[in-house]
Amino acid sequence: MTENLMLALQILGLGWGGIFLVMFIIYLVSLGLARIFPPEQAGE
């Protein structure tokens, strides 16, 4: 049972790590797009 629990925790860690990795990549892409295409100012 301990072996199954350790395997389950490894899979859990990979899943959460993958989620945060994808979120970080999306964040970096959005920053890059904001630099390439800066948002227009509403007052001008």
Side-chain angles (χ1 to χ4, degrees):
M1 173 153 172
T2 307
E3 184 178 330
N4 289 338
L5 181 61
M6 293 305 292
L7 182 61
L9 290 176
Q10 284 179 340
I11 294 171
L12 177 72
L14 287 174
W16 276 100
I19 288 170
F20 283 107
L21 179 66
V22 169
M23 288 174 60
F24 185 67
I25 290 171
I26 291 171
Y27 174 70
L28 290 179
V29 168
S30 68
L31 284 181
L33 287 173
R35 283 186 188 262
I36 294 171
F37 305 106
E40 297 179 7
Q41 299 295 327
E44 296 178 10

